Amino acid sequence: MTIQEILKSDDEKAKKALFQFSNKNSVDEVLLKFNLWCRYFFPKYFTSKDASFHKRIDELNLNTYWGNIRSFVDIAFRGAAKTARTKLFMAYAISNDTDHFRRYIKVLSADGDNSTQIVTDMYNMLAKTYELYPEIFEETKEKREERMSSFTTSTGVKVKADTVGTDQRGAIQEENRQDLIWYEDFENRTTLRSARKTKSIWENMEEARTGLSVNGSCIYTANYISEAGNVHILITKKTTGKEVLIIPIKDENGSTWPERYS
């Protein structure tokens, strides 16, 4: 069957196989599967044609997830869909990675409500795809948590929201240390008003990063609003295995997302 025939069919096994991936798949194969999954389950996120930089965001998210990159600094203008695509990717990977490579994913923001909302959104995405992935929420003998700020799947993946202002030492899920941290909106104009708060946030972010498992990685999604803050440090600090992507709303050719912004 063709891809379209599989998506239109009632063959749940074939449909699942179309979306699932492992480390045996190439980056291009996984990106195709990811985009098919997103558009099949969540078409409302795609009201405009993708910008050219979206593929690069997806590619770097995947390589960070796989540990090929230790840190990915994703800086783009507000409305560039960097948060939405990262959130979709996290939900996709939890559902479709047959290796369950990442076991403990943490989302850290300056505002706890923000990180909690992201984790809640990810949970709701998994709930919406339940018919195809019932194993994610199967009853098990082990006690699992399902709260607004954290949940654990029956496949053994924990997702937790927290703030960058919280002590990050000693975070362990069963035998697993946190192995993927997503820092989202960790710096804003409020935090930048205080040099002490900015320094404290950096120390907590570093504490979380150095507390990662051996193969752990970080994704940073942010806006570049000051050269006096932590985003600037992330850009300029020399670190092994780091990728920095900076997307302005306009470059020498005009709008970087012309299908959305003139």
Side-chain angles (χ1 to χ4, degrees):
M1 288 193 290
T2 65
I3 289 176
Q4 285 188 339
E5 287 172 340
I6 292 172
L7 294 175
K8 290 178 181 178
S9 73
D10 295 325
D11 190 338
E12 301 293 293
K13 188 175 180 180
K15 205 174 289 182
K16 201 168 183 177
L18 180 63
F19 299 138
Q20 287 182 322
F21 72 96
S22 72
N23 59 11
K24 294 181 177 65
N25 292 108
S26 68
V27 169
D28 285 341
E29 286 173 336
V30 178
L31 293 186
L32 173 60
K33 288 170 175 285
F34 167 62
N35 278 280
L36 288 171
W37 182 86
C38 289
R39 284 159 174 79
Y40 180 76
F41 285 110
F42 305 102
K44 67 178 183 178
Y45 281 88
F46 302 93
T47 55
S48 299
K49 182 182 176 183
D50 283 358
S52 58
F53 61 80
H54 285 141
K55 182 179 180 181
R56 184 61 176 158
I57 289 176
D58 298 342
E59 179 185 352
L60 291 171
N61 277 337
L62 173 61
N63 275 304
T64 307
Y65 176 86
W66 269 342
N68 299 330
I69 298 170
R70 294 306 303 269
S71 60
F72 167 33
V73 185
D74 183 4
I75 299 171
F77 58 91
R78 292 188 184 278
K82 59 185 180 296
T83 301
R85 295 190 84 91
T86 304
K87 186 164 54 180
L88 284 164
F89 176 78
M90 294 290 188
Y92 167 75
I94 292 169
S95 301
N96 293 285
D97 178 9
T98 57
D99 298 320
H100 300 300
F101 182 66
R102 295 303 185 186
R103 291 285 181 170
Y104 189 172
I105 300 169
K106 185 175 278 190
V107 183
L108 299 177
S109 298
D111 183 347
D113 290 341
N114 187 23
S115 54
T116 296
Q117 186 60 60
I118 287 175
V119 170
T120 302
D121 289 346
M122 288 166 62
Y123 181 91
N124 290 335
M125 286 176 178
L126 299 179
K128 186 173 181 179
T129 63
Y130 173 79
E131 288 189 7
L132 196 61
Y133 307 96
E135 69 278 5
I136 292 176
F137 296 113
E138 277 181 350
E139 288 190 17
T140 60
K141 293 180 181 179
E142 293 81 14
K143 185 176 180 181
R144 303 201 320 270
E145 58 179 335
E146 292 183 7
R147 298 183 293 180
M148 292 287 286
S149 61
S150 62
F151 65 88
T152 304
T153 70
S154 58
T155 52
V157 180
K158 179 183 177 69
V159 183
K160 182 177 181 180
D162 208 340
T163 70
V164 286
T166 304
D167 189 327
Q168 298 297 324
R169 284 174 290 191
I172 297 177
Q173 161 69 3
E174 296 179 348
E175 71 277 12
N176 302 304
R177 283 185 172 274
Q178 54 199 24
D179 53 10
L180 180 62
I181 302 175
W182 174 14
Y183 299 91
E184 156 64 13
D185 200 19
F186 53 89
E187 183 166 82
N188 52 47
R189 297 195 184 280
T190 300
T191 63
L192 285 166
R193 289 192 187 103
S194 169
R196 179 179 295 179
K197 182 174 285 188
T198 297
K199 184 175 184 293
S200 175
I201 287 173
W202 177 259
E203 290 172 349
N204 284 341
M205 287 169 61
E206 282 294 278
E207 187 174 74
R209 184 184 65 80
T210 56
L212 282 165
S213 63
V214 175
N215 63 349
S217 298
C218 303
I219 295 173
Y220 303 84
T221 50
N223 300 300
Y224 195 5
I225 56 178
S226 172
E227 292 186 353
N230 294 318
V231 173
H232 184 69
I233 293 174
L234 283 169
I235 293 170
T236 57
K237 185 178 181 180
K238 292 183 179 180
T239 307
T240 303
K242 180 177 72 174
E243 288 282 348
V244 177
L245 181 67
I246 302 178
I247 305 296
I249 193 168
K250 181 181 177 183
D251 60 18
E252 64 274 8
N253 298 315
S255 172
T256 54
W257 194 359
E259 291 78 12
R260 177 66 68 89
Y261 304 108
S262 66

